[in-house]
Amino acid sequence: ALVCILLWKAWGAVHALRVTVIILTVSWAAEVIGSRTGFPFGAYSYTDMLEPQVLYVPLQVPLGWLMMLPPAWAAAAVLTQHVKPGWKFPTFVGLSALAMTAWDLFLDPMMVAWGVWVWDDTGIYFGIPWTNYLGWLLVSALITVLVRPEELPLLPLLLVYTTMWLLNSAGLGIFWGMPGAAAAGCFVMGSLTILAWRACTRPD
């Protein structure tokens, strides 16, 4: 809700609604396809722990994409503000996908441990296959290309990204007994967060 409000205030209702629909639709479709075919994330399935579900995908999942992708865009936008025009959008897409996927270094180990979804093949990262992260990169990049976000409310969204980094680091590392995933997510997501804040304070 907070992310939607920030987008609405920056873009107006029509554009914010359009972007919201794109994120929810594409991410939900990717999860439906992925849980049935194994592409692009790998072979997995959702349990009935999260309800309600549409075509066996919990509605909370596309809402998670909506919550975190605009903050990932903000981090990428700050990091690419001095990139040359010809390279700016491709670099922005890549960094947006990386910033979004960094969050899943926290999320997937936690959700697997809680039994929200199950992987058919055991992977090297806390039981999660590497294809999952390629899938996150691909879907994040696809949505970013479709939306081509501009005039983002950078600082408020970057605060959301920073807050999620801190909460997930503390949650997994202290309260939920997953220090390895906490350390990995803290390092990758934290590196992007710190670099983004440094870029915010760098003189033009």
Side-chain angles (χ1 to χ4, degrees):
L2 174 60
V3 169
C4 289
I5 291 170
L6 293 174
L7 296 180
W8 170 65
K9 289 176 70 71
W11 291 343
V14 174
H15 186 39
L17 179 60
R18 170 183 166 273
V19 171
T20 297
V21 169
I22 291 173
I23 295 174
L24 292 177
T25 302
V26 176
S27 62
W28 173 80
E31 297 285 351
V32 171
I33 294 169
S35 60
R36 278 159 177 71
T37 69
F39 177 83
F41 304 105
Y44 70 104
S45 57
Y46 288 99
T47 68
D48 59 0
M49 181 169 288
L50 291 181
E51 297 285 352
Q53 298 186 4
V54 177
L55 296 181
Y56 304 103
V57 174
L59 293 184
Q60 294 95 327
V61 172
L63 289 174
W65 283 84
L66 176 60
M67 176 183 71
M68 285 304 297
L69 192 51
W73 290 338
V78 171
L79 289 170
T80 57
Q81 59 188 339
H82 298 295
V83 175
K84 293 181 179 179
W87 290 96
K88 189 165 189 175
F89 186 68
T91 307
F92 171 76
V93 172
L95 284 175
S96 294
L98 180 61
M100 181 66 182
T101 303
W103 178 54
D104 195 49
L105 295 173
F106 293 116
L107 182 67
D108 237 279
M110 181 170 59
M111 294 295 103
V112 169
W114 291 356
V116 175
W117 55 77
V118 179
W119 290 97
D120 292 359
D121 299 319
T122 301
I124 60 174
Y125 183 72
F126 304 100
I128 300 153
W130 61 271
T131 51
N132 173 63
Y133 296 98
L134 290 180
W136 272 70
L137 289 168
L138 177 62
V139 175
S140 301
L142 174 61
I143 298 174
T144 303
V145 169
L146 290 173
V147 173
R148 301 183 72 91
E150 297 179 350
E151 298 181 2
L152 289 155
L154 293 178
L155 291 183
L157 287 175
L158 189 55
L159 282 171
V160 173
Y161 193 81
T162 303
T163 301
M164 292 304 298
W165 163 52
L166 294 173
L167 289 178
N168 280 272
S169 297
L172 271 70
I174 299 173
F175 300 105
W176 299 323
M178 302 179 195
C186 182
F187 175 76
V188 178
M189 195 173 176
S191 296
L192 292 167
T193 303
I194 293 169
L195 288 172
W197 282 111
R198 287 188 63 185
C200 284
T201 58
R202 188 174 70 179
D204 292 336

